[in-house]
Amino acid sequence: METKYIFVTGGVVSSLGKGIISSSLACLLKARGLRVTIQKFDPYINIDPGTLNPYEHGECYVTVDGHEADLDLGHYERFTNVHTTRANNVTTGRIYQSVINKERRGDYLGKTVQIIPHITDEIKRNVKLLGNTGKFDYVITEIGGTVGDIESLPFLESVRQLRWELGQNSLCIHLTYMPYLAAAHELKTKPTQHSVKMLQEVGIQPDILILRTEHDIPAQMRRKIAQFCNVEPDAVIQSLDQPTIYQVPVAMHAQHLDEIVLRKTGVTPEGEPHMEPWMNFLDKMNKAEKEVTIGLVGKYVELQDAYKSIDEALFHAAVYNDRRLKLVMIHSEKINDSNAGQLLSPLDGVIVAPGFGQRGIEGKFSALKWCREHDVPTFGICLGMQCMVIEFARNVLGLDDANSTEMNPTTRHNVIDLMEEQKSISNLGGTMRLGAYDCELTPDSRAAKAYGKTLVSERHRHRFELNNDYRQDLERAGLKCVGENPSTHLVEVVELEGKRWYLGTQYHPEYSSTVLSPGPLFVDFIKAAISYHEEKQAAE
Ligand code: GLN
């Protein structure tokens, strides 16, 4: 079968959930046995989101091949269980960089280099990159931003050209918003009509409209939209708010989104998608009554998307443990030695988040000290693991000024230090230790038991590491280094012996947790949190 290309654009407002819609469609097509990948084109100039702070763009996701990517790629993986790569996320910056490099090399010798055709050709080349591997039946391309933005114009022009070139092997889905005017008790179609008109102005006729709405859209209103927008009535689909994002594929299938997409791309739908494992997850999720309460200590707690993959990994793990997740965000700048007990004692488990820089770091130490002394299940991720080591070195080994050289470059006890290969690097973009590396686990460790194996591969995003000069002292005092990279001997996992569950990973296990394959460490952590909760209850 020839590769089919589906383009997903958005209008009216941003944050409509294009990523979730794309992921849901991919999930349904995959459940029909098709090979699917999703890619995102972002119209900003940064080469990748690695240098953006979470206030700008939420979490930075990392692919197995070490690309710092938009957080939507996390959704793609969680919904499809298929790895994404560097090719799945392209920005305007990457496109321009490539064109300018070609120009300097002389590839366009004699020609004036222009947005059309040179930039659009480069966009089109990138759109087709994954399709050309022959590995996919469907390539879903999400265009970031909102129709009408100046910066997305070259992408839309490329979509227009591709639609023309690919014919029935392509399709455009446009996502819009239906506002509800409470005073008039009315849903409004006009913004959708305007948005479609704007898309038509750049030469794109959407084939399917998905309308994000907080209220059910009456059939006659859908017919009206179909008529005004040149779309078939059954291709006007509503996307009502769902209790969780994982219900969206089911809501889309109920309105035949997958069948419509197949038919419109010349494929006859046969039977139903095999959604049983997915439905089992939803069933478990819906049946869970008891709660497990986890605290997340970090400095971006007011931002919904800053720790997206951790939130989702915890959610998956809670569902597989038949629990509802109650996540309590704890601002690392607001926790200290005197209020730690009050803030942390209601919790069943604590996660100390990844991060960069000094801000909020002392709060992480206070939280970890309290959790360690009170034997609370505790999970440190990346910077969180480094903080575990520093807190332990300070308060157990008695090295008062123990620190990471990230926080204090001249500390006498650099228990966390810059990795050797990082020392000569001055550029900040894309230069961390990134992507998946092997980790060998000590057979009897908690981590090995959780994974059910001793060789794992997880993703990284860091410059600093546990300083192996301190390894013996740390281990002698009980902080065991139970995971290390087999070739470089970098410490990947630490565990405090004699505790319920006190474990830190230099890597980010959250990136690989999906609905159908939850992160083993998260599942084990939640299990420990549940036992701790039950022990606390029994003691009351
Ligand atoms: N700032 C730390 C480092 O660079 C940790 C990074 C992280 O938590 N992702 O090593």
Side-chain angles (χ1 to χ4, degrees), residues 172-203:
C172 177
I173 299 177
H174 187 56
L175 191 61
T176 74
Y177 180 59
M178 293 276 288
Y180 180 77
L181 289 187
H185 303 291
E186 244 184 312
L187 278 164
K188 290 293 177 190
T189 65
K190 201 69 90 188
T192 296
Q193 294 180 44
H194 281 296
S195 173
V196 170
K197 202 153 276 169
M198 229 181 264
L199 204 53
Q200 288 165 339
E201 269 168 28
V202 296

Short mmCIF file of all heavy atoms in Angstrom, two decimals, residues 172-203:
data_model
loop_
_atom_site.label_atom_id
_atom_site.label_comp_id
_atom_site.label_asym_id
_atom_site.label_seq_id
_atom_site.Cartn_x
_atom_site.Cartn_y
_atom_site.Cartn_z
N CYS A 172 -6.80 16.24 4.80
CA CYS A 172 -6.56 17.30 5.79
C CYS A 172 -7.66 17.31 6.84
O CYS A 172 -8.85 17.35 6.52
CB CYS A 172 -6.46 18.65 5.08
SG CYS A 172 -6.25 19.99 6.24
N ILE A 173 -7.23 17.25 8.08
CA ILE A 173 -8.17 17.35 9.21
C ILE A 173 -7.94 18.71 9.85
O ILE A 173 -6.80 19.06 10.16
CB ILE A 173 -7.89 16.23 10.25
CG1 ILE A 173 -8.08 14.86 9.62
CG2 ILE A 173 -8.80 16.41 11.47
CD1 ILE A 173 -7.77 13.69 10.56
N HIS A 174 -9.02 19.45 10.04
CA HIS A 174 -8.87 20.77 10.67
C HIS A 174 -9.63 20.77 11.99
O HIS A 174 -10.79 20.36 12.07
CB HIS A 174 -9.43 21.84 9.71
CG HIS A 174 -9.17 23.24 10.18
ND1 HIS A 174 -7.91 23.71 10.46
CD2 HIS A 174 -10.02 24.28 10.42
CE1 HIS A 174 -8.00 24.98 10.85
NE2 HIS A 174 -9.26 25.35 10.84
N LEU A 175 -8.92 21.22 13.01
CA LEU A 175 -9.48 21.22 14.36
C LEU A 175 -9.84 22.65 14.75
O LEU A 175 -9.00 23.54 14.62
CB LEU A 175 -8.40 20.65 15.28
CG LEU A 175 -8.74 20.27 16.70
CD1 LEU A 175 -9.80 19.18 16.68
CD2 LEU A 175 -7.49 19.74 17.40
N THR A 176 -11.08 22.86 15.21
CA THR A 176 -11.45 24.23 15.62
C THR A 176 -12.18 24.19 16.96
O THR A 176 -12.35 23.12 17.55
CB THR A 176 -12.39 24.92 14.60
OG1 THR A 176 -13.70 24.33 14.73
CG2 THR A 176 -11.91 24.81 13.19
N TYR A 177 -12.61 25.35 17.39
CA TYR A 177 -13.25 25.47 18.69
C TYR A 177 -14.66 26.04 18.54
O TYR A 177 -14.87 26.97 17.78
CB TYR A 177 -12.40 26.40 19.57
CG TYR A 177 -12.97 26.60 20.95
CD1 TYR A 177 -13.17 25.52 21.79
CD2 TYR A 177 -13.29 27.88 21.41
CE1 TYR A 177 -13.69 25.69 23.06
CE2 TYR A 177 -13.80 28.06 22.69
CZ TYR A 177 -14.00 26.96 23.50
OH TYR A 177 -14.52 27.13 24.76
N MET A 178 -15.60 25.45 19.26
CA MET A 178 -16.99 25.94 19.25
C MET A 178 -17.27 26.61 20.59
O MET A 178 -17.53 25.92 21.58
CB MET A 178 -17.95 24.75 19.10
CG MET A 178 -17.88 24.06 17.77
SD MET A 178 -18.88 24.86 16.53
CE MET A 178 -20.53 24.43 17.08
N PRO A 179 -17.22 27.93 20.64
CA PRO A 179 -17.50 28.57 21.93
C PRO A 179 -18.97 28.44 22.32
O PRO A 179 -19.84 28.35 21.44
CB PRO A 179 -17.11 30.03 21.70
CG PRO A 179 -17.11 30.22 20.24
CD PRO A 179 -16.92 28.89 19.58
N TYR A 180 -19.23 28.41 23.62
CA TYR A 180 -20.61 28.36 24.12
C TYR A 180 -20.88 29.67 24.84
O TYR A 180 -20.18 30.03 25.78
CB TYR A 180 -20.76 27.18 25.08
CG TYR A 180 -22.15 27.04 25.64
CD1 TYR A 180 -23.19 26.49 24.88
CD2 TYR A 180 -22.43 27.44 26.95
CE1 TYR A 180 -24.45 26.35 25.40
CE2 TYR A 180 -23.71 27.30 27.48
CZ TYR A 180 -24.72 26.76 26.69
OH TYR A 180 -25.99 26.62 27.21
N LEU A 181 -21.89 30.39 24.37
CA LEU A 181 -22.26 31.63 25.05
C LEU A 181 -23.31 31.30 26.11
O LEU A 181 -24.46 31.02 25.78
CB LEU A 181 -22.81 32.65 24.06
CG LEU A 181 -21.79 33.26 23.09
CD1 LEU A 181 -22.45 34.37 22.27
CD2 LEU A 181 -20.58 33.81 23.82
N ALA A 182 -22.90 31.34 27.35
CA ALA A 182 -23.79 30.93 28.44
C ALA A 182 -25.04 31.79 28.48
O ALA A 182 -26.16 31.28 28.65
CB ALA A 182 -23.04 30.97 29.76
N ALA A 183 -24.89 33.11 28.28
CA ALA A 183 -26.04 34.01 28.39
C ALA A 183 -27.09 33.69 27.32
O ALA A 183 -28.29 33.77 27.56
CB ALA A 183 -25.58 35.46 28.26
N ALA A 184 -26.60 33.30 26.12
CA ALA A 184 -27.53 32.99 25.03
C ALA A 184 -27.88 31.50 24.96
O ALA A 184 -28.67 31.09 24.12
CB ALA A 184 -26.92 33.44 23.71
N HIS A 185 -27.28 30.70 25.83
CA HIS A 185 -27.41 29.23 25.80
C HIS A 185 -27.15 28.69 24.41
O HIS A 185 -27.89 27.89 23.88
CB HIS A 185 -28.84 28.79 26.22
CG HIS A 185 -29.22 29.27 27.57
ND1 HIS A 185 -28.63 28.79 28.72
CD2 HIS A 185 -30.12 30.19 27.96
CE1 HIS A 185 -29.16 29.41 29.76
NE2 HIS A 185 -30.06 30.27 29.33
N GLU A 186 -26.08 29.16 23.81
CA GLU A 186 -25.86 28.78 22.41
C GLU A 186 -24.40 28.47 22.09
O GLU A 186 -23.49 29.16 22.56
CB GLU A 186 -26.28 29.98 21.53
CG GLU A 186 -27.46 29.67 20.65
CD GLU A 186 -27.76 30.86 19.75
OE1 GLU A 186 -27.82 32.01 20.26
OE2 GLU A 186 -27.91 30.65 18.55
N LEU A 187 -24.22 27.43 21.30
CA LEU A 187 -22.92 27.15 20.72
C LEU A 187 -22.79 28.01 19.46
O LEU A 187 -23.78 28.24 18.76
CB LEU A 187 -22.83 25.67 20.31
CG LEU A 187 -22.50 24.67 21.40
CD1 LEU A 187 -22.85 23.28 20.94
CD2 LEU A 187 -21.03 24.76 21.79
N LYS A 188 -21.58 28.44 19.17
CA LYS A 188 -21.42 29.35 18.03
C LYS A 188 -20.54 28.72 16.94
O LYS A 188 -19.45 28.23 17.21
CB LYS A 188 -20.77 30.66 18.52
CG LYS A 188 -21.73 31.49 19.38
CD LYS A 188 -22.86 31.97 18.49
CE LYS A 188 -23.92 32.74 19.22
NZ LYS A 188 -25.09 32.98 18.34
N THR A 189 -21.03 28.78 15.71
CA THR A 189 -20.30 28.15 14.60
C THR A 189 -19.40 29.13 13.84
O THR A 189 -18.55 28.72 13.07
CB THR A 189 -21.29 27.56 13.55
OG1 THR A 189 -22.02 28.63 12.96
CG2 THR A 189 -22.24 26.57 14.19
N LYS A 190 -19.65 30.42 14.06
CA LYS A 190 -18.95 31.42 13.22
C LYS A 190 -17.43 31.32 13.27
O LYS A 190 -16.77 31.35 12.22
CB LYS A 190 -19.42 32.83 13.62
CG LYS A 190 -19.18 33.88 12.55
CD LYS A 190 -20.06 33.71 11.32
CE LYS A 190 -21.35 34.49 11.48
NZ LYS A 190 -22.32 34.22 10.41
N PRO A 191 -16.82 31.17 14.48
CA PRO A 191 -15.35 31.06 14.48
C PRO A 191 -14.86 29.90 13.61
O PRO A 191 -13.84 30.03 12.92
CB PRO A 191 -15.01 30.83 15.96
CG PRO A 191 -16.16 31.41 16.71
CD PRO A 191 -17.37 31.17 15.85
N THR A 192 -15.59 28.80 13.60
CA THR A 192 -15.21 27.67 12.76
C THR A 192 -15.29 28.04 11.29
O THR A 192 -14.38 27.78 10.50
CB THR A 192 -16.11 26.45 13.06
OG1 THR A 192 -15.88 26.06 14.41
CG2 THR A 192 -15.84 25.28 12.14
N GLN A 193 -16.39 28.69 10.93
CA GLN A 193 -16.55 29.10 9.52
C GLN A 193 -15.40 30.01 9.09
O GLN A 193 -14.84 29.86 8.01
CB GLN A 193 -17.87 29.83 9.33
CG GLN A 193 -19.10 28.96 9.55
CD GLN A 193 -20.38 29.77 9.34
OE1 GLN A 193 -20.49 30.54 8.40
NE2 GLN A 193 -21.33 29.59 10.23
N HIS A 194 -15.06 30.97 9.99
CA HIS A 194 -13.97 31.90 9.65
C HIS A 194 -12.65 31.17 9.51
O HIS A 194 -11.85 31.46 8.63
CB HIS A 194 -13.85 32.99 10.73
CG HIS A 194 -14.88 34.06 10.58
ND1 HIS A 194 -14.94 34.88 9.48
CD2 HIS A 194 -15.90 34.43 11.39
CE1 HIS A 194 -15.96 35.72 9.61
NE2 HIS A 194 -16.58 35.46 10.77
N SER A 195 -12.45 30.23 10.42
CA SER A 195 -11.18 29.51 10.41
C SER A 195 -11.03 28.67 9.14
O SER A 195 -9.96 28.63 8.53
CB SER A 195 -11.13 28.64 11.67
OG SER A 195 -10.02 27.82 11.65
N VAL A 196 -12.12 28.03 8.73
CA VAL A 196 -12.07 27.23 7.50
C VAL A 196 -11.85 28.15 6.30
O VAL A 196 -11.08 27.84 5.39
CB VAL A 196 -13.35 26.38 7.35
CG1 VAL A 196 -13.41 25.73 5.97
CG2 VAL A 196 -13.42 25.32 8.44
N LYS A 197 -12.50 29.31 6.35
CA LYS A 197 -12.33 30.28 5.25
C LYS A 197 -10.85 30.67 5.12
O LYS A 197 -10.31 30.78 4.03
CB LYS A 197 -13.20 31.51 5.52
CG LYS A 197 -13.51 32.30 4.27
CD LYS A 197 -14.82 33.06 4.38
CE LYS A 197 -16.02 32.20 4.03
NZ LYS A 197 -17.30 32.83 4.38
N MET A 198 -10.23 30.88 6.27
CA MET A 198 -8.82 31.26 6.27
C MET A 198 -7.94 30.16 5.67
O MET A 198 -6.99 30.43 4.96
CB MET A 198 -8.39 31.52 7.71
CG MET A 198 -7.65 32.83 7.87
SD MET A 198 -7.17 33.02 9.56
CE MET A 198 -8.45 34.00 10.19
N LEU A 199 -8.33 28.93 5.97
CA LEU A 199 -7.59 27.79 5.42
C LEU A 199 -7.81 27.72 3.90
O LEU A 199 -6.89 27.47 3.13
CB LEU A 199 -8.12 26.51 6.10
CG LEU A 199 -7.22 25.28 6.16
CD1 LEU A 199 -5.86 25.61 6.76
CD2 LEU A 199 -7.89 24.20 7.00
N GLN A 200 -9.05 27.98 3.50
CA GLN A 200 -9.36 27.95 2.06
C GLN A 200 -8.60 29.06 1.33
O GLN A 200 -8.19 28.89 0.19
CB GLN A 200 -10.87 28.10 1.84
CG GLN A 200 -11.65 26.84 2.23
CD GLN A 200 -13.15 27.08 2.36
OE1 GLN A 200 -13.59 28.22 2.54
NE2 GLN A 200 -13.93 26.01 2.30
N GLU A 201 -8.42 30.19 2.02
CA GLU A 201 -7.70 31.31 1.39
C GLU A 201 -6.27 30.91 1.02
O GLU A 201 -5.70 31.43 0.08
CB GLU A 201 -7.66 32.51 2.34
CG GLU A 201 -8.82 33.46 2.13
CD GLU A 201 -8.95 34.49 3.25
OE1 GLU A 201 -7.92 34.83 3.86
OE2 GLU A 201 -10.08 34.92 3.52
N VAL A 202 -5.66 30.01 1.83
CA VAL A 202 -4.31 29.57 1.47
C VAL A 202 -4.36 28.30 0.61
O VAL A 202 -3.36 27.63 0.41
CB VAL A 202 -3.39 29.37 2.71
CG1 VAL A 202 -3.16 30.69 3.42
CG2 VAL A 202 -3.94 28.33 3.67
N GLY A 203 -5.57 27.98 0.13
CA GLY A 203 -5.68 26.91 -0.86
C GLY A 203 -5.90 25.53 -0.29
O GLY A 203 -5.74 24.54 -0.98
#
